Amino acid sequence: MTRLTADIIKDVPSKISDLDHELEKRIGMNMRDFACYAMDVPANGIDFNGYDVAIVPVTSGKGIIGGFSSSVAAALKTMGMRSFITSSCDVAGISEAFSSGADIIFMADDERFIALNTRTRSFSDNIWSTAKGYVTALRLAEGGLEGKRVLVIGAGRVGTEAVKILRAEGASVDVTDILPHKAEALGSRYDNVRAIRDVEEAIRNNPLILNASPGMIRGDLIQKGAVISSPGVPYAFDEEGERRAKVIIHDVLSLGVAVMAVASICLSLFGIPADSVIAEKGVTL
Ligand code: PYL
């Protein structure tokens, strides 16, 4: 997964309500209701205001990303949760979150970004939640994925989870990656999944695309009326692509965070990472 930069996320806190309104305009749901929909939770099934959520800055590895914690906090606040950023980082920050009675703790190092529910000891993961959110957005924009073929660009961690979730929704998947062996591994592991080497041909032939890659996508390859769901960072499309596509769904962090928040609340799997369980078993709530 591409590491975010302060520059990529600099506008998230100030633009979060615009994103929420944009989402509502495009798919008829705000971020909170969309995340509930993605997790099969009744829209009014969670009292979001009843949750104190801590975000703990983590200094390990490549260190803190300027604006990351405040972007997460802004997304959660937009959902109606009481979010705060701990004044301490790392273990001190986790202990601060616990002693302040946080119900959920969001924290990310360079490997994983999780939301740990201190009440139920379940946790959700950003990789799976992002894939779940963007497959759901594609389904909504397309009006259903059962029996359809979807092109997944990028067989990294988000793309791989998206392949699993798309299959669980009854779609057939073409998957391509700059490293062909990664797509071929998925093609040989799952039926209804084909590894495609020629990405340009694949984009020309597929009107349904989930882009989970960090690369730019040439607009002249995109079919007119294509429906594109794109968690890939940075934003991958040029003006021609925006002209041709019917819709391109993209944001840099908030949709995944919103699904993480709902997934951490509604999952009570004791210490089992929701991503590996749900994606494999297609567990519905
Ligand atoms: C979770 C994001 C989504 C895309 N790439 C992932 C990423 O950038 N991960 C690294 C997050 C590091 C956060 C840093 C901090 O500010 O607490 N440890």
Side-chain angles (χ1 to χ4, degrees), residues 46-52 79-82:
I46 294 175
D47 170 22
F48 287 92
N49 192 251
Y51 282 84
D52 286 311
M79 295 174 74
M81 304 178 103
R82 297 195 301 262

Side-chain angles (χ1 to χ4, degrees), residues 24 36 56 89 96 130 149 152 190 192 217 240 265 270:
E24 186 128 34
C36 289
V56 180
C89 301
E96 181 186 335
T130 299
R149 179 167 293 281
V152 173
Y190 297 109
N192 283 344
I217 295 178
E240 179 62 16
I265 291 170
F270 182 79

Side-chain angles (χ1 to χ4, degrees), residues 1-5 56-60 63-66 68-69 107-113 126 130 233 252-253:
M1 186 176 227
T2 318
R3 182 178 163 88
L4 293 173
T5 64
V56 180
V58 174
T59 63
S60 68
I64 282 176
I65 298 175
F68 179 80
S69 294
M107 49 192 150
D109 62 16
D110 294 346
E111 270 313 298
R112 293 198 75 174
F113 176 22
N126 179 258
T130 299
V233 168
V252 292
L253 186 60

